[in-house]
C-alpha cells in the first residue's frame, strides 16, 4: 500500500543537468533508507545513490562528484540532482524506499514506476 512516484526525467544533452524527485505516499508509518537505482535496456538494475533518514549517503563510483542525493523526511520525498550528465547515464531511474506500513511490521523495499532519463551526445 506504499506508492512511490518519480518525476523530473527527460531528454538532455551531455553536460546538462536534471533533478529527479520521488514522492512517497500511502500507509507509511516510517521509512529508513531511500535511494535511486537505474536500469538500462538489457541490463540489471544498479545502485545510483542511497541516503539514510539521518543523511548519510552512498554513491556508485560512476556518479560520485556528479550526482547528489537528498531527502525531506517531513515530506517523505527523496531527490537526485544530476549534473554533468553523460550518454551512459541514459536509463530508467527508479526510486526505492525501505518502509513499513505498521509499527510492528518489518521494513520492506518499495519501488516506483521509474522515470526515463535520456542523455544525448
Amino acid at each position: 500500500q506504499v506508492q512511490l512516484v518519480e518525476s523530473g526525467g527527460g531528454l538532455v544533452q551531455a553536460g546538462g543537468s536534471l533533478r529527479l524527485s520521488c514522492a512517497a505516499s500511502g500507509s507509511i508509518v516510517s521509512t529508513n533508507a531511500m535511494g535511486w537505482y537505474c536500469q538500462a535496456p538489457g541490463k540489471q538494475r544498479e545502485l545510483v545513490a542511497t541516503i539514510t533518514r539521518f543523511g548519510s549517503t552512498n554513491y556508485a563510483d560512476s556518479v560520485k562528484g556528479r550526482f547528489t542525493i537528498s531527502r525531506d523526511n517531513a515530506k517523505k520525498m527523496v531527490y537526485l540532482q544530476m549534473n554533468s550528465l553523460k550518454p551512459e547515464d541514459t536509463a530508467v531511474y527508479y526510486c526505492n524506499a525501505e518502509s513499513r506500513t505498521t509499527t510492528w511490521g518489518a521494513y520492506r523495499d518499495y519501488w516506483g514506476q521509474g522515470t526515463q532519463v535520456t542523455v544525448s551526445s
Side-chain angles (χ1 to χ4, degrees), residues 72-90:
D72 186 326
N73 292 333
K75 295 182 178 180
K76 298 180 180 179
M77 296 191 69
V78 62
Y79 310 91
L80 185 68
Q81 180 65 47
M82 309 168 72
N83 298 326
S84 302
L85 283 162
K86 304 175 181 179
E88 49 263 45
D89 295 322
T90 296

Side-chain angles (χ1 to χ4, degrees), residues 4-7 9 20-23 34-50 69 78-80 82 89-97 110-117:
L4 301 178
V5 180
E6 303 96 336
S7 62
L20 306 184
S21 299
C22 173
M34 301 184 77
W36 290 94
Y37 294 73
C38 68
Q39 186 168 25
K43 296 185 178 181
Q44 295 182 336
R45 189 170 298 184
E46 299 179 345
L47 169 73
V48 176
T50 60
I69 189 171
V78 62
Y79 310 91
L80 185 68
M82 309 168 72
D89 295 322
T90 296
V92 177
Y93 284 74
Y94 295 91
C95 177
N96 169 266
Y110 295 89
W111 297 89
Q113 292 295 315
T115 184
Q116 177 70 49
V117 172

Side-chain angles (χ1 to χ4, degrees), residues 45-74:
R45 189 170 298 184
E46 299 179 345
L47 169 73
V48 176
T50 60
I51 183 169
T52 70
R53 63 182 300 154
F54 303 108
S56 180
T57 59
N58 184 45
Y59 296 92
D61 289 340
S62 61
V63 306
K64 288 182 179 178
R66 299 189 298 122
F67 293 3
T68 302
I69 189 171
S70 60
R71 67 187 288 173
D72 186 326
N73 292 333

